[in-house]
Amino acid sequence: MGTASRYWLLMRIDSFGKCRTEEVESAKAFFLTQFPELSDREDMPDREIQRQLMQWFQNDDTRRQMAEVCLRCFISHQIQEFCLELEQKFGKNHDFTSMELLPLVLDSTLRSPRQEMDESRTNYPSVTARILQTFDPDKSKLSTWTVRMVKSDRFLKRFLLEHGIEQVTDWMILSYMNPGRLQRVLLEFDRTPAEINQTLQLLDSYHQIYRTQLLQHRKAGEKSRYPDPTALQLRQMAEQLSATRTISPEQILRELQELAQLLRAERLRTRKGLPLDNSGNPAEINRTSSEDDSNEQSEFLAGYHQQFNTCLAQSVKQVIQARFIYLQSKKNQKAQNFLKALHLFHCQGVPMKEIAPQLGLKDQPQVSRLLELKNLRSDIGRRTLLCLRACVLKLAQCYVNPVQLQNLESKVQLILDKEISTEIEKAKKESHIGHNRVMNSQLAATICNHLNSQKEERA
């Protein structure tokens, strides 16, 4: 039988928890009617088929219900194949089979769209439901998206964790790690202050080079989530660390992998070793999903902080560049004076009245009019909000279902607006301090980093 059968053969879990194959006659008749030329082909053009099925499924089309059934059949095959791969890869050493995995992620029957909608409002929607709700045939293959969604399923992740498996790469673990948490972990492993400081520098270099470039690539449309560091990135890290120690790119890679393994072991240690409850089962199984939710919340917050930093840096760059270009049309070196005043004020903490004579200006009001800090902060805040809102909603898709996302969307604007306003207010209060002023706000630091990087590029 050709591969077209994947669109009408359903893999499902029966009442005994076993995986069964069921031929859906109505789906077979529908598929062969809609795609008669494909019935005997071995090399199925799945991308085109799935794009058409999704179009019928998402629109108010008479073929909507049968298109959904065909998609569910295809998804069920991909789920089964992925569970078999997990068994082949980890089952022997970690004592489990695919038959233990399938009931966690495979549906027991075909359900109508109305049943799925009711389920998503009350409980955690099934993997198949979430795949159908989020799949975009223009951005990925259904097989690829199915694997991604199965990997992210909380019940599957919990099962694998209980068997000592964490399905995240070393590079994802390091990208989510923050210095404060890393320091606490290293202290638990009795590392010396010198070792801790060296490891913190390594993580900082990794974040500045690997994580920053990864975010830039994602903005450019690349889909790779956490690829291995390139040889160039490793050389850049080695060069950055050369001020404090001599280290080769190969040693950088080894140290990063060792650090990731240590953090992975710590993550597993904190999630395992739980006592049995009164029923004789591991306490983890009978807990609510609060611990799992807490882990997801930590991952979300780490991703959010990355996006906040990126959006703020991007907005600072755009606003300063726009202001500089505008001032270039003026006389008396206003554009260059603007950059110099910004640097003196934010990077060196020089008061405006002391900046004036350095720029050949009369007094503080002239510097104030040149900088227009109120408008500058307002423009940065507005751009950051627009950027961050889009990033947060996209990030949230990995953690909430579409109904929750719709409810969240109405609240995100207010939440982000409040946080950005708080950051802008911190910068405003700093600017009102007279002598001995140190600019510690994130906005001031971001402006200073941008100005310094521009200096280095021009050097």
Side-chain angles (χ1 to χ4, degrees):
M1 189 174 293
T3 55
S5 62
R6 291 176 299 170
Y7 291 95
W8 63 73
L9 289 179
L10 178 72
M11 313 301 295
R12 69 177 186 86
I13 300 298
D14 66 15
S15 57
F16 297 100
K18 303 295 184 181
C19 183
R20 304 296 183 196
T21 303
E22 175 183 326
E23 184 173 290
V24 185
E25 291 289 350
S26 57
K28 181 178 181 180
F30 171 80
F31 187 90
L32 294 179
T33 300
Q34 300 299 326
F35 307 100
E37 73 283 2
L38 303 177
S39 58
D40 298 323
R41 284 184 59 173
E42 291 291 335
D43 56 332
M44 298 295 290
D46 288 318
R47 198 74 179 262
E48 289 73 17
I49 294 171
Q50 292 156 12
R51 183 178 285 106
Q52 181 62 75
L53 291 173
M54 283 300 295
Q55 184 178 339
W56 291 334
F57 170 65
Q58 292 173 336
N59 297 328
D60 189 14
D61 193 286
T62 56
R63 292 162 288 193
R64 182 179 191 276
Q65 186 172 356
M66 291 313 304
E68 179 189 15
V69 175
C70 290
L71 289 166
R72 284 179 175 275
C73 289
F74 183 89
I75 290 169
S76 71
H77 282 269
Q78 300 305 310
I79 292 176
Q80 184 202 37
E81 288 176 12
F82 179 65
C83 289
L84 287 171
E85 288 177 11
L86 287 177
E87 177 185 357
Q88 292 169 2
K89 189 174 182 180
F90 301 112
K92 184 176 180 180
N93 292 333
H94 294 268
D95 192 27
F96 70 85
T97 69
S98 60
M99 294 310 300
E100 295 175 82
L101 300 176
L102 286 167
L104 301 175
V105 289
L106 197 60
D107 288 342
S108 59
T109 185
L110 285 171
R111 282 172 285 185
S112 69
R114 173 58 60 186
Q115 287 174 312
E116 292 289 8
M117 190 177 297
D118 292 340
E119 179 189 71
S120 67
R121 289 189 182 123
T122 56
N123 302 310
Y124 191 64
S126 72
V127 174
T128 303
R130 285 184 284 125
I131 292 169
L132 288 171
Q133 290 165 345
T134 57
F135 174 59
D136 184 344
D138 293 326
K139 294 183 178 179
S140 65
K141 297 179 180 179
L142 184 54
S143 55
T144 304
W145 189 249
T146 297
V147 169
R148 179 174 178 181
M149 296 301 287
V150 173
K151 280 184 176 181
S152 67
D153 180 74
R154 65 173 63 181
F155 300 113
L156 181 69
K157 287 197 296 184
R158 183 183 299 173
F159 178 93
L160 293 175
L161 281 171
E162 289 167 358
H163 287 76
I165 304 165
E166 189 174 33
Q167 287 286 87
V168 295
T169 69
D170 290 346
W171 318 119
M172 181 177 177
I173 290 174
L174 293 172
S175 293
Y176 279 130
M177 181 54 55
N178 63 67
R181 183 178 167 198
L182 175 59
Q183 187 168 14
R184 291 192 293 272
V185 171
L186 294 175
L187 284 171
E188 290 181 5
F189 281 85
D190 296 325
R191 298 297 172 88
T192 66
E195 289 173 330
I196 292 174
N197 184 58
Q198 183 171 288
T199 306
L200 289 173
Q201 290 176 351
L202 177 67
L203 180 70
D204 180 62
S205 178
Y206 174 83
H207 283 179
Q208 288 189 41
I209 293 169
Y210 177 91
R211 191 172 71 179
T212 299
Q213 292 178 13
L214 177 65
L215 291 172
Q216 292 171 346
H217 292 161
R218 287 179 178 175
K219 286 182 181 179
E222 293 187 19
K223 297 179 180 180
S224 181
R225 300 189 74 189
Y226 291 92
D228 292 343
T230 65
L232 176 59
Q233 288 173 331
L234 293 171
R235 286 199 302 272
Q236 290 172 335
M237 292 180 215
E239 290 171 5
Q240 191 174 74
L241 293 171
S242 63
T244 55
R245 60 174 171 146
T246 301
I247 185 170
S248 68
E250 293 76 18
Q251 189 177 348
I252 289 276
L253 180 61
R254 285 196 301 272
E255 290 191 11
L256 287 172
Q257 290 172 329
E258 290 170 1
L259 176 59
Q261 290 306 309
L262 181 146
L263 295 173
R264 189 188 298 276
E266 175 62 16
R267 285 159 66 99
L268 289 172
R269 184 188 68 80
T270 58
R271 298 179 188 185
K272 293 182 67 180
L274 298 172
L276 297 179
D277 62 8
N278 294 332
S279 304
N281 296 317
E284 171 72 11
I285 296 176
N286 291 290
R287 289 183 176 187
T288 64
S289 60
S290 59
E291 182 175 335
D292 195 66
D293 289 341
S294 176
N295 292 328
E296 289 192 351
Q297 184 181 46
S298 297
E299 290 183 355
F300 174 81
L301 288 174
Y304 165 76
H305 288 310
Q306 288 183 35
Q307 296 296 345
F308 186 94
N309 295 339
T310 301
C311 286
L312 181 60
Q314 176 182 302
S315 300
V316 164
K317 179 180 179 179
Q318 291 171 345
V319 171
I320 291 177
Q321 284 183 341
R323 178 72 174 162
F324 178 79
I325 291 171
Y326 168 75
L327 291 174
Q328 278 184 318
S329 63
K330 306 294 181 181
K331 59 182 180 179
N332 297 331
Q333 295 290 313
K334 276 196 172 183
Q336 293 300 329
N337 281 347
F338 168 70
L339 293 182
K340 187 174 181 180
L342 271 182
H343 191 275
L344 289 169
F345 189 77
H346 291 95
C347 304
Q348 300 180 28
V350 180
M352 288 190 189
K353 65 179 181 180
E354 295 179 18
I355 293 175
Q358 296 189 47
L359 302 180
L361 301 177
K362 293 180 181 179
D363 49 26
Q364 176 177 334
Q366 283 193 324
V367 179
S368 181
R369 286 194 295 271
L370 175 66
L371 291 176
E372 290 188 338
L373 289 180
K374 182 178 179 180
N375 291 337
L376 187 79
R377 298 188 197 107
S378 178
D379 290 343
I380 291 172
R382 184 171 60 255
R383 285 178 180 264
T384 303
L385 179 60
L386 290 173
C387 170
L388 194 57
R389 181 180 182 277
C391 291
V392 167
L393 290 175
K394 185 176 181 180
L395 184 64
Q397 290 177 4
C398 299
Y399 300 92
V400 298
N401 64 54
V403 174
Q404 292 171 319
L405 185 63
Q406 188 174 1
N407 295 332
L408 177 66
E409 191 168 355
S410 61
K411 301 175 184 177
V412 163
Q413 184 90 9
L414 292 174
I415 296 170
L416 297 180
D417 187 43
K418 183 177 180 181
E419 179 156 356
I420 292 170
S421 297
T422 300
E423 184 58 41
I424 297 296
E425 187 62 27
K426 287 180 186 176
K428 181 180 177 181
K429 288 180 179 178
E430 282 183 342
S431 68
H432 290 158
I433 300 173
H435 292 283
N436 301 320
R437 177 167 51 84
V438 178
M439 304 292 275
N440 291 319
S441 69
Q442 188 171 355
L443 175 58
T446 305
I447 290 174
C448 188
N449 287 338
H450 168 70
L451 295 172
N452 287 333
S453 66
Q454 291 297 103
K455 276 189 172 182
E456 291 174 1
E457 289 178 9
R458 290 193 297 268

